[in-house]
Amino acid sequence: VAVLACDGPTERIAPWGELLSTASAARRAAGCVTDGLVRDVKQIREMRFPVFCGGIGPLDTKGRARMVERDVPVVCAGVAVRPGDLVFGDVDGVVVIPREVEQEVVRRALEKVSGEHQSRDALQRGEKLGDVFRRLGIL
């Protein structure tokens, strides 16, 4: 996942667009996370390349910005991200998991998902919400 830290969205530029998405996809990136603005949203959606951003704006970066560093620790939308960290995003948002706790976090997340499936099944059978929570501790 490409992580582009821009120190928050600005009204001056939208540094990520269709061309960076195309180049990233060609290099097998799974998506992009940026606290900056994004442009070419229609084309990026047509590519089905996941991009999580601080907003949408029309201006490219020509003459307005430059890349300072790459493959270094950054802060993106107030969250520290280091090369090698696990970055996961879906319609509910984005999480960054530091590599040193990745296995534990993934294990616990899978346990929670399993518990949520059990809770959903119980609720679909008509069990009361309070009873399900007392038994499984997950809602």
Side-chain angles (χ1 to χ4, degrees), residues 21-137:
S21 294
T22 300
S24 296
R27 287 168 179 76
R28 302 180 52 108
C32 170
V33 173
T34 180
D35 55 2
L37 300 180
V38 172
R39 64 187 183 283
D40 307 327
V41 174
K42 180 179 181 277
Q43 295 89 337
I44 293 170
R45 286 181 179 161
E46 288 171 357
M47 293 174 56
R48 301 180 61 95
F49 187 79
V51 175
F52 299 87
C53 62
I56 298 170
L59 295 176
D60 66 16
T61 57
K62 186 174 182 180
R64 296 178 196 74
R66 64 184 174 85
M67 186 173 79
V68 177
E69 296 180 282
R70 69 176 227 188
D71 296 327
V72 298
V74 296
V75 175
C76 186
V79 177
V81 185
R82 297 170 304 165
D85 286 349
L86 180 64
V87 178
F88 179 84
D90 66 11
V91 297
D92 292 325
V94 176
V95 296
V96 176
I97 303 167
R99 64 181 158 244
E100 60 271 6
V101 295
E102 178 181 327
Q103 289 183 359
E104 174 69 10
V105 170
V106 170
R107 181 189 64 74
R108 291 176 69 182
L110 292 173
E111 286 175 2
K112 178 151 173 70
V113 168
S114 176
E116 288 176 347
H117 290 318
Q118 292 174 42
S119 293
R120 183 183 317 102
D121 292 345
L123 294 169
Q124 288 174 338
R125 288 191 303 270
E127 292 185 41
K128 293 181 179 177
L129 192 61
D131 295 340
V132 171
F133 181 73
R134 278 187 289 282
R135 188 174 76 249
L136 299 173

